[in-house]
Amino acid sequence: MSDPLDALEKSIGTLRRAIRDAAAAGDTERAGELRMQLRRAERAWDALVDAGEPAAAPPRQAPQAAPAARGSQLPAREHVHRALMLLGVPAAPKLIVDVHEAFFPGELSTSKLSSLRRDEERSYRSSPGARPYYLCPALAHDLLTPVRALITISTWTLEQRVIGPLSPRVDFLSGAIRIAKAVRTSAESAADGASPEALRLLWRFAVNIPDAMPKNASGHEGALDAQQVIGAAQAELDVHTETDRANRAAAARRARKSLSDDEQLFGAPLRGVTHLRSARA
Amino acid sequence: MREPVDDRLAALRGSAKRLDYNARSLAALENNPRCTLRALLDASGSDKAAIATHVGHPPAFGQSSFAITRGNAFEAMVKANGCAELLRVLRETLELTLPEVGYEDLNDVGGDGRSKERHERTEEVLLRAARGEGDGTLFDHPMLCLQIGGHKAYLEPDLVAFRIDGRFHVVEIKSFPIIDEQAAPAQVRAATTQASAYIIALRDLLGRAGIGEEAVSDTIVLVAPKDFTNRPTGAFVDARKQVAALTRQLSRIERVGDLVDLLPEDLTFDLARDSEDRPRRPAEELNEALDQVLVTYRPDCLNHCEMAFYCRSRARAEASLDVLGPVVRDQFGGIDTTTMVMGLARGELTPSEDQMEMAAALRHAARLRAELEDLGGAA
């Protein structure tokens, strides 16, 4: 699936379904945001058809954002957003690419992701709020500085975007549950079941969660059961959730009090570090 | 006392920039503690690779870029997704309980990767954990610091794990495989030596805050690929002996002054680089300077010391038994060179009193060999 037109049509379809779901659930905010994405995808589709050369990927940008160079990264951006929405937690580029390959069509590479991230902050600073969402780094719970290599979406709450000491594990387990659910859904809906990539991804999560791997009579590993993974992950999650939530909530409160709007998205600059430390000492 | 020694060491190094100790040069202390040249070059912070190259014995090894990439990729895999693989391994080996999953990233301080800042932050975080505050269990790339001979050396373990019963464990992540619960002994030894430097540095850090050294376990956790797969497994390695050996060597560094005193006043290993960084000093002159210092060559120096090829050629030129390795060398107590061994065996040299026994054994061996050769010739 390398043809950008095919990819766009697929994502337009996905977006329409998502809007219907959001509307049915009464989530107007989310539906509005999705509609915006849909409109943009449709514009890109129109532009591609008009241009008549599907190989030249860069679809037209939203009117208010400027140069065409940035527009060429629009599809990758959408890919990342989609993968992150599936995971529902901050994730490293590699995991985002893995999730993308397991569940969505189109090309996405980690190298593309790193240039994308720099671009996001620059775009935000030049015209804040011009885009419906931004890809931004997670924030460290104590220093509120950006966390290396964890990507989040600006529309998530601060509590979701802050990383406390327990958060990497909590996010791993929550991610495992979301992936297991996605695998189950695609197994039920698609004729040939979940893709081998999706099963492999789920397996990689499951082997590192206690009791998530099925054991048959001889004690060997049997076929993977999405429901069992969900149960096992939830069981360990219950151990950590409360502490983690308290940590994250406290950090988020601090961030709201001490950081400006753009710092709440892209992290406190380093000058704050010494200041915070002396305040604590 | 301290001052003049530092001056002498600075003079040995000459105009070049001082190189600090690192985990590799510390490990070498434990590998070949008797080598005077190595001790002096390291203590003075000289660039061994540049010196060896200038005298015509460039270090033919180095760290292979493939090995480094492989090592880094394995470490990244082990630590990916909130240390998922690592947690599984540590739950098996260290028996971490379910709630012990706290993770502190000490790779940088809010984007600042400078050693000093990272060390301060490491100190703060680890002390907090040692006092039982916070949820930290896994500490990713803490930056430790050791004072060696009056100079700071920054050391960076792969990971330190903190167990709820109050002990820190140094975790070394290596990409050589553990096959059927066995790993290559030389590799394990190198990893353990490196880890013992971390143990000492970690104890030093806690010790300064009044926490006893029993807070750091002297057993390290080695995490490496299992069998022929890429999945990590863990094993305990006892590092007690190496920690003790390295501690002793470190205390000896303080006495490097004794070694310096044995050297001629004007000795220097300065390359006298010009403005374009080309060494101006004649190679022969540098060679002469090096020749004045005792070396203790061992074949396994080739694995870890930049000067090894120089030392080997020197040992060969002197027909020293060192070339054959400690196993052979130790057989010939009191005899230093191959020429002497051969002379005694052929009966061309008259043995001194304490060489009598050895000479008899050698002549016996020579006779046996001659007989075998005759047999071989007849067949």
Side-chain angles (χ1 to χ4, degrees):
Chain A
M1 177 91 56
S2 55
D3 188 342
L5 269 174
D6 285 354
L8 271 172
E9 274 161 21
K10 177 113 185 176
S11 90
I12 287 172
T14 320
L15 280 168
R16 288 209 175 112
R17 264 196 308 282
I19 291 172
R20 207 177 57 202
D21 290 348
D27 187 349
T28 48
E29 196 185 316
R30 170 102 188 98
E33 185 197 318
L34 286 168
R35 267 200 199 94
M36 215 125 113
Q37 285 179 39
L38 175 65
R39 241 168 279 142
R40 232 190 2 243
E42 281 169 346
R43 263 201 303 274
W45 189 88
D46 287 342
L48 271 181
V49 170
D50 291 345
E53 40 178 10
R60 288 272 79 140
Q61 252 287 24
Q64 67 271 48
R70 210 178 288 150
S72 72
Q73 278 157 359
L74 189 68
R77 204 169 170 264
E78 298 291 340
H79 287 324
V80 176
H81 182 253
R82 204 161 48 169
L84 277 173
M85 288 311 280
L86 189 149
L87 272 172
V89 291
K94 188 162 182 321
L95 179 59
I96 292 176
V97 170
D98 287 346
V99 169
H100 172 78
E101 280 170 357
F103 295 102
F104 304 109
E107 297 259 339
L108 183 66
S109 65
T110 41
S111 55
K112 210 166 195 176
L113 265 171
S114 49
S115 61
L116 192 61
R117 274 188 295 174
R118 281 193 299 278
D119 204 56
E120 288 287 298
E121 184 166 357
R122 214 173 308 139
S123 154
Y124 179 87
R125 299 220 189 271
S126 63
S127 54
R131 296 177 174 185
Y133 66 85
Y134 291 87
L135 302 175
C136 36
L139 305 185
H141 72 109
D142 44 2
L143 305 177
L144 300 176
T145 46
V147 171
R148 237 167 26 117
L150 281 182
I151 303 178
T152 70
I153 306 177
S154 58
T155 49
W156 289 352
T157 60
L158 259 172
E159 282 81 357
Q160 259 178 303
R161 289 187 285 116
V162 162
I163 296 291
L166 300 182
S167 308
R169 185 66 182 173
V170 167
D171 290 348
F172 167 78
L173 294 168
S174 319
I177 295 176
R178 299 285 282 260
I179 288 171
K181 283 182 176 158
V183 164
R184 199 176 52 188
T185 315
S186 57
E188 282 161 2
S189 59
D192 48 354
S195 71
E197 289 85 13
L199 286 174
R200 229 176 73 80
L201 182 64
L202 182 60
W203 181 85
R204 272 173 35 213
F205 272 78
V207 284
N208 292 315
I209 301 171
D211 304 323
M213 295 299 284
K215 293 265 191 285
N216 58 21
S218 58
H220 289 297
E221 287 171 3
L224 207 53
D225 174 13
Q227 191 53 47
Q228 185 176 354
V229 178
I230 294 173
Q234 191 60 50
E236 192 189 329
L237 199 54
D238 290 341
V239 178
H240 311 306
T241 301
E242 215 162 294
T243 326
D244 182 55
R245 194 172 293 156
N247 270 335
R248 284 174 135 168
R253 258 199 311 280
R254 230 156 17 89
R256 280 197 193 92
K257 230 179 1 203
S258 62
L259 299 186
S260 65
D261 281 355
D262 55 337
E263 285 172 352
Q264 285 183 29
L265 289 182
F266 295 98
L270 192 60
R271 60 174 167 73
V273 173
T274 39
H275 163 74
L276 269 174
R277 189 182 295 150
S278 50
R280 216 176 331 156
Chain B
M1 176 62 212
R2 191 73 252 171
E3 269 320 301
V5 173
D6 268 357
D7 288 350
R8 288 297 305 273
L9 288 175
L12 283 179
R13 183 175 73 250
S15 54
K17 193 171 169 291
R18 190 192 156 80
L19 298 179
D20 281 324
Y21 277 99
N22 54 35
R24 284 168 82 84
S25 55
L26 281 179
L29 280 178
E30 202 269 326
N31 284 328
N32 191 356
R34 286 192 307 144
C35 185
T36 313
L37 182 63
R38 167 110 209 181
L40 283 175
L41 289 175
D42 277 343
S44 62
S46 304
D47 185 346
K48 293 190 291 295
I51 292 175
T53 309
H54 194 50
V55 294
H57 297 284
F61 61 96
Q63 277 181 298
S64 139
S65 58
F66 298 106
I68 294 177
T69 313
R70 160 82 182 122
N72 289 346
F74 182 70
E75 189 182 333
M77 192 272 281
V78 168
K79 287 181 179 171
N81 300 328
C83 290
E85 292 278 353
L86 188 62
L87 269 174
R88 176 180 57 78
V89 169
L90 292 182
R91 280 175 178 173
E92 283 161 15
T93 53
L94 279 181
E95 295 173 357
L96 286 183
T97 56
L98 271 190
E100 290 177 282
V101 296
Y103 170 86
E104 293 274 3
D105 186 357
L106 299 168
N107 278 290
D108 53 27
V109 185
D112 187 344
R114 282 175 300 178
S115 303
K116 189 167 167 289
E117 275 69 19
R118 286 181 54 196
H119 176 59
E120 282 172 10
R121 170 113 178 107
T122 296
E123 192 164 8
E124 182 191 332
V125 170
L126 287 183
L127 286 180
R128 214 164 354 132
R131 295 197 191 100
E133 301 159 22
D135 301 311
T137 298
L138 307 172
F139 302 93
D140 190 351
H141 280 268
M143 183 61 91
L144 305 172
C145 178
L146 258 189
Q147 286 280 344
I148 301 170
H151 295 274
K152 270 186 188 163
Y154 285 105
L155 302 170
E156 192 181 348
D158 289 333
L159 190 109
V160 168
F162 185 62
R163 180 74 175 81
I164 216 124
D165 64 10
R167 297 197 89 183
F168 289 99
H169 294 259
V170 171
V171 178
E172 267 298 294
I173 301 173
K174 291 286 175 193
S175 57
F176 57 81
I178 301 181
I179 299 171
D180 280 345
E181 294 170 20
Q182 300 275 324
Q187 305 257 48
V188 176
R189 200 183 131 79
T192 320
T193 309
Q194 211 183 326
S196 42
Y198 304 145
I199 293 177
I200 294 170
L202 191 53
R203 285 183 170 165
D204 181 61
L205 184 151
L206 296 173
R208 272 180 275 137
I211 299 167
E213 63 176 34
E214 66 285 348
V216 184
S217 165
D218 40 23
T219 304
I220 66 161
V221 182
L222 179 67
V223 175
K226 182 176 166 63
D227 299 337
F228 300 100
T229 68
N230 205 23
R231 294 200 63 205
T233 183
F236 283 120
V237 184
D238 187 351
R240 253 177 309 178
K241 242 169 87 183
Q242 274 146 311
V243 169
L246 195 54
T247 313
R248 199 165 52 242
Q249 294 310 322
L250 285 175
S251 64
R252 271 182 43 175
I253 290 184
E254 301 295 330
R255 288 184 312 220
V256 75
D258 301 351
L259 294 176
V260 177
D261 287 342
L262 299 174
L263 302 174
E265 280 294 331
D266 54 350
L267 186 75
T268 175
F269 305 124
D270 194 356
L271 295 177
R273 290 181 188 277
D274 60 16
S275 52
E276 276 154 51
D277 221 25
R278 281 189 303 259
R280 277 180 311 191
R281 187 157 187 211
E284 306 83 64
E285 201 185 305
L286 183 62
N287 229 327
E288 274 168 33
L290 291 171
D291 276 346
Q292 304 197 36
V293 186
L294 219 63
V295 300
T296 314
Y297 170 77
R298 290 200 320 212
D300 67 345
C301 288
L302 292 172
N303 294 335
H304 51 73
C305 182
E306 290 90 337
M307 299 299 293
F309 288 96
Y310 161 80
C311 297
R312 185 175 67 177
S313 82
R314 193 167 137 184
R316 278 180 179 163
E318 290 168 356
S320 164
L321 281 175
D322 287 343
V323 178
L324 301 173
V327 179
V328 176
R329 207 216 140 88
D330 293 350
Q331 296 282 324
F332 298 100
I335 307 176
D336 292 328
T337 61
T338 37
T339 30
M340 188 172 254
V341 170
M342 294 313 287
L344 289 172
R346 296 192 184 113
E348 292 159 1
L349 292 176
T350 327
S352 66
E353 190 124 340
D354 49 349
Q355 289 169 344
M356 290 294 256
E357 213 172 311
M358 186 63 67
L362 277 169
R363 274 201 294 273
H364 182 60
R367 211 163 37 240
L368 285 178
R369 184 165 188 274
E371 276 172 28
L372 279 173
E373 271 176 347
D374 283 350
L375 280 179

